[in-house]
Every structure is written in structure tokens, then in C-alpha cells.
Amino acid sequence: MFIYKAGVVGAGAMGAGIAQVISFSGLPVVLKDTDQERVDKGLAMVRKVYQGRVDKGKMTASEMDQKMKLVIGTTSYDDFKDCDLVIEAVFENMKVKHQVFQELEKVLPETAIMASNTSALSISQIASAVKKSDKVIGIHFFNPAPVMKLVEVIPGLQTSTETVDDAVAFVESLRKMPVRVKECAGFLVNRLLLPYLNEAAYAFQEGSAPADEIDKAMRAFGMPMGPFALLDMLGLDVCADVSMILYDSFGPRMKAAEILGEMHKNNRLGVKNGIGFYVYDESKASDLKPVVDAIQAKTGIKGTPFSPERLVFQMINEAAFCLEENVASPSDIDLAMLAGTGYPQDKGGPLHTADAIGIDVVVEKLKEFSKQLGPRFWPAPILKRMVSANYLGQKTKRGFFNY
Ligand code: CAA
């Protein structure tokens, strides 16, 4: 199927970023929000990305104007009537998503693909609100969409093979890297990334180390930004929503650190409102210590040791759970983390990291963390099976990969 025109519903940071990516590939794209002010804000975000390229000499001002002409701002669903594919990027509320998909189905051509950029909600449940559920699929971009190469493609229970193939071809046409992911809460990357961010939050609230030191340690490990800078960039409200969805699906091992909820409750949402773990607007500066003290008084846990492994092993363990559930292949899991989060190239992804450390060492260390920090570290069953079969990683020449 050829996509001649695309659409995006929701002109926030993700929606605008996706519209920029689509227009950059040369396709016209309709960008819709509920009122003109939001639409204009979205269009300004798209222009800002192009302006950045002009300022760096990567594109001329007239090329920018050509690309901007491809982005059609609107407040009406009528403008989607000749779109072949629409991506919904509104906030994470199932009721709102259902309304959006029902509106889309009324105006779109029969053959059009209806995609969601949801971070963690069920694609199958979104699809249940429409008749043409075989045309519904997850096409999940990463923040910032203009930069991050990865796009997860997630079929729901009702999605047709044709829709999956068309979505993969569309993502490739945007010069992004599609990875097919079996549907589960958080899909693949958020399912690995959130436990890592959550562990950073536990370390912070337990007074293991200050946020800037943890960020520095993880940058030294090779991550492009530290977990707290990333939490602030993603938005503490978004992270709280995703954490809740993960907890609901996977239970206690994904219980969110109390500080994440407190940040949301105290309206410390991150970069978007000027204050999160870091201060971006001095007029909003306030001390987090009383919040942390109150959490420590409630949980009775403080002074636990910090190490980068504490965070990385959460990612490795969840990658092993994903593998066990066939969410993706070992190489796709590693590729997705490289392209979706900037996991250090030289370490090859969390599963390659585990192979380099030794699966037996990973299991022992997870058990030790489990005793010291809590049962959320209990090793995924596949890791123990691998040890018992001498799949220890590089040292025995076979682990998640062959050497
Ligand atoms: N929009 C557009 N372009 C941006 C941008 C933005 N918000 N932020 C940075 N860039 C561009 C810069 O202009 C620069 O472009 P050039 O190469 O053309 O000069 C390039 O990205 C690199 O930027 P910087 O040099 O300023 O900084 P950097 O090298 O540290 O890269 C980063 C910034 C790409 C954000 C990098 O730090 C990174 O990869 N961070 C990890 C981000 C991450 O983990 N994202 C996934 C989050 S999970 C998610 O999104 C899923 C979800 O559902 C919640």
C-alpha cells in the first residue's frame, strides 16, 4: 500500500515531532489538535526543528519553507478524509483514545491505517472501539522523535498481517528503524527503560546518591543522558502513567518508587513546567529534601548503596523476561535499546552486556541485590536455565548470542 498523505492527532511534543519526521521524508501531513492555539504551538515546534537544521547549515531557508508547506495544521477531523495513515499521539487515556479512533474511522478511507503512538496502553484495547480493528496498530516513536532512530511496530490481537507489513514499510520510508514487538505492557523499550529509571528513583529516595551523581555515573557507563535528566525530559506525569500501567500488568517487581508519584503530586513535571529533579526555572526552585525525608520515614529504607550495576541489572533482567515471553528476538532487543535509548554502542545492548559479564555472575549479583534491595531483583527464570545448561555468555562461547 502506498502512503500519499499521513495525519497526526495531537500536536504536543511527540505529535509535532512525528509530523516533522513525516514531512522531512517528503510526505504531506495533517497535524490536528483540539484548538488553534495548540495547533500553532505544534507547528512552531516543527518549525523549530527545521530552523535548527537551517542554523547548522544542514538545509536552506527555502528548503525549510518547502517542508513546512507539507505540514497542514487543523482542528477538524474532516482534513483526514484523504489520509492513508494516521498516528494518534494524544495523552494516555483510553477513553480519549477510543473517541479519537471512532472519529477517525468515520472520516478515513476504508483502507487507511489507524495507528497509535501510545507508550504503554494496549493496542488491542484501543482497537476494540472501532469496526476496522484489523487496520489498528501501534507505531511508537521515541522522544525526541526527530532524533531517535527506533520505532516500535506493535500489532494488536486483531491487526492484519497486511497492516503490519504496511506499517513497517512506512516506518522505513521515514528513514527510521522499525522493530516488530509482541504486544505487552510497555512494549519492549519502555518495559526495559522504566525499571532502570525506577531503580534510579529508588536509589535517590533512599539517599544512596544525589540525582546529579547518579546521572554522572550513568553517563560514565555510556548512556547519552542520566536517568534524572531523562525523567525530566520525558515528563514525570508521563512516567507516572507508564509506571502505573507496568505495575498493573507485571505486579510488585514494577512497583514505582514513591518519589515518582510525589514528583507528580507536587507538580514537578520536569522540563515542561520548569521543575523536576532539576530546576529549569529559578522562580520555581524548591527543596526536595522534605519530600525525601518523609518517604524515608514511611518506608524505613535509607542509605542503600549505589552502583551503576543496580540500574543496568534491572534492564538486563527485564530483557530476559521479554525474551522468555517472545516479545522480540535477542538481537532486536539489543538493537531497540541502542536505537531507542542511546544504550552505549560499544556494549552492544543489555543482552550483550550480560553475555560479557557472564550469565552466572548476573544471576548471583541479581540474587545479592534481591537480598539487599528487594525482591524486584529476583532473576528471570531463563537466566537460571541458561546457567544450568552452561550458556554463560562469552566465556563459554554461547549465551544470548553465539561467539
Ligand atoms: N528535537 C529535535 N532535535 C533534537 C532534540 C529535540 N528535542 N534534542 C536534540 N536534538 C538534536 C540536536 O539538534 C542535534 O542535532 P545535530 O546532530 O543535527 O546537530 C542532535 O539531536 C544531538 O543533540 P545534542 O548534541 O544537543 O545532544 P546529545 O548528543 O546529547 O543528544 C539526545 C540529545 C538525542 C536527546 C540524547 O541525549 C539521547 O539520545 N538521549 C536519550 C533519549 C532517550 O532515551 N529517549 C527515549 C526515551 S523513552 C520514550 O521516548 C518512550 C516513551 O514512550 C516514554
Side-chain angles (χ1 to χ4, degrees):
M1 173 189 184
F2 282 107
I3 314 280
Y4 293 101
K5 190 173 178 182
V8 177
V9 187
M14 283 311 286
I18 295 167
Q20 189 276 332
V21 171
I22 295 173
S23 61
F24 191 54
S25 79
L27 269 190
V29 55
V30 179
L31 179 61
K32 181 193 175 297
D33 213 313
T34 46
D35 60 61
Q36 196 56 44
E37 200 184 326
R38 285 171 200 251
V39 173
D40 290 342
K41 234 171 137 181
L43 291 172
M45 280 192 258
V46 178
R47 179 170 283 278
K48 194 173 161 203
V49 176
Y50 280 127
Q51 189 61 52
R53 296 186 64 81
V54 172
D55 294 346
K56 285 178 202 151
K58 291 186 166 179
M59 136 186 283
T60 65
S62 83
E63 281 166 344
M64 172 173 83
D65 290 342
Q66 293 297 323
K67 296 291 186 196
M68 280 308 295
K69 274 189 197 140
L70 294 171
V71 190
I72 306 137
T74 186
T75 56
S76 165
Y77 279 103
D78 289 342
D79 289 304
F80 288 122
K81 65 179 183 302
D82 54 350
C83 285
D84 305 299
L85 180 149
V86 175
I87 301 173
E88 163 279 311
V90 304
F91 55 93
E92 299 288 36
N93 177 303
M94 188 55 80
K95 224 164 134 187
V96 177
K97 303 235 185 226
H98 277 173
Q99 280 163 3
V100 169
F101 276 73
Q102 282 161 353
E103 292 296 335
L104 283 174
E105 191 168 43
K106 278 186 213 158
V107 293
L108 282 173
E110 286 266 313
T111 51
I113 293 174
M114 295 176 277
S116 175
N117 181 56
T118 180
S119 296
L121 289 174
S122 158
I123 302 299
S124 303
Q125 194 182 352
I126 293 175
S128 69
V130 295
K131 291 188 204 84
K132 292 187 289 274
S133 52
D134 59 310
K135 289 287 177 190
V136 177
I137 191 161
I139 299 186
H140 183 222
F141 290 75
F142 290 81
N143 194 349
V147 188
M148 305 311 286
K149 281 281 162 220
L150 181 75
V151 177
E152 290 175 329
V153 174
I154 311 115
L157 289 170
Q158 312 90 330
T159 311
S160 69
T161 313
E162 190 191 359
T163 302
V164 180
D165 292 343
D166 288 341
V168 167
F170 171 69
V171 171
E172 282 168 345
S173 77
L174 303 178
R175 294 187 287 273
K176 296 280 186 189
M177 183 195 290
V179 168
R180 292 178 202 221
V181 176
K182 190 171 130 188
E183 186 177 30
C184 63
F187 312 135
L188 174 58
V189 170
N190 278 339
R191 187 169 157 186
L192 269 59
L193 188 66
L194 261 290
Y196 158 89
L197 296 174
N198 196 32
E199 199 52 41
Y202 272 118
F204 174 79
Q205 77 178 35
E206 291 167 4
S208 314
D212 58 343
E213 265 180 38
I214 296 175
D215 273 1
K216 203 169 142 201
M218 297 323 295
R219 285 197 310 273
F221 172 80
M223 299 303 282
M225 60 204 291
F228 294 101
L230 184 55
L231 281 162
D232 277 1
M233 183 182 94
L234 294 175
L236 273 306
D237 49 347
V238 173
C239 293
D241 283 349
V242 179
S243 300
M244 223 126 66
I245 293 166
L246 290 174
Y247 176 69
D248 187 50
S249 189
F250 302 113
R253 82 169 186 273
M254 296 265 188
K255 182 176 172 286
E258 286 77 357
I259 188 72
L260 294 177
E262 287 299 316
M263 299 293 284
H264 191 193
K265 234 191 274 168
N266 288 294
N267 204 30
R268 296 178 79 117
L269 304 184
V271 178
K272 68 172 115 180
N273 78 338
I275 186 147
F277 283 98
Y278 295 101
V279 178
Y280 306 91
D281 173 353
E282 275 306 326
S283 72
K284 295 192 174 173
S286 71
D287 196 2
L288 259 180
K289 190 171 178 309
V291 180
V292 170
D293 287 347
I295 293 172
Q296 289 179 356
K298 194 173 132 206
T299 60
I301 305 172
K302 64 177 182 178
T304 55
F306 171 73
S307 64
E309 287 76 32
R310 186 173 163 177
L311 276 58
V312 174
F313 276 50
Q314 278 287 353
M315 232 187 239
I316 291 174
N317 204 27
E318 202 53 39
F321 276 112
C322 283
L323 195 62
E324 193 138 31
E325 293 168 30
N326 293 319
V327 173
S329 67
S331 47
D332 276 356
I333 290 175
D334 272 4
L335 255 179
M337 293 311 284
L338 296 180
T341 71
Y343 192 97
Q345 296 272 349
D346 61 342
K347 294 191 168 68
L351 296 177
H352 274 99
T353 304
D355 274 355
I357 294 169
I359 308 301
D360 49 344
V361 180
V362 169
V363 168
E364 282 316 305
K365 194 75 198 164
L366 281 168
K367 281 185 180 167
E368 202 181 306
F369 279 143
S370 192
K371 238 188 247 164
Q372 194 177 40
L373 302 168
R376 62 185 178 276
F377 280 95
W378 194 250
I382 193 175
L383 293 171
K384 292 193 201 158
R385 279 208 312 283
M386 287 171 75
V387 173
S388 66
N390 209 32
Y391 277 67
L392 303 185
Q394 287 181 10
K395 61 185 158 194
T396 55
K397 300 203 183 325
R398 57 184 192 176
F400 289 109
F401 302 92
N402 290 323
Y403 298 90

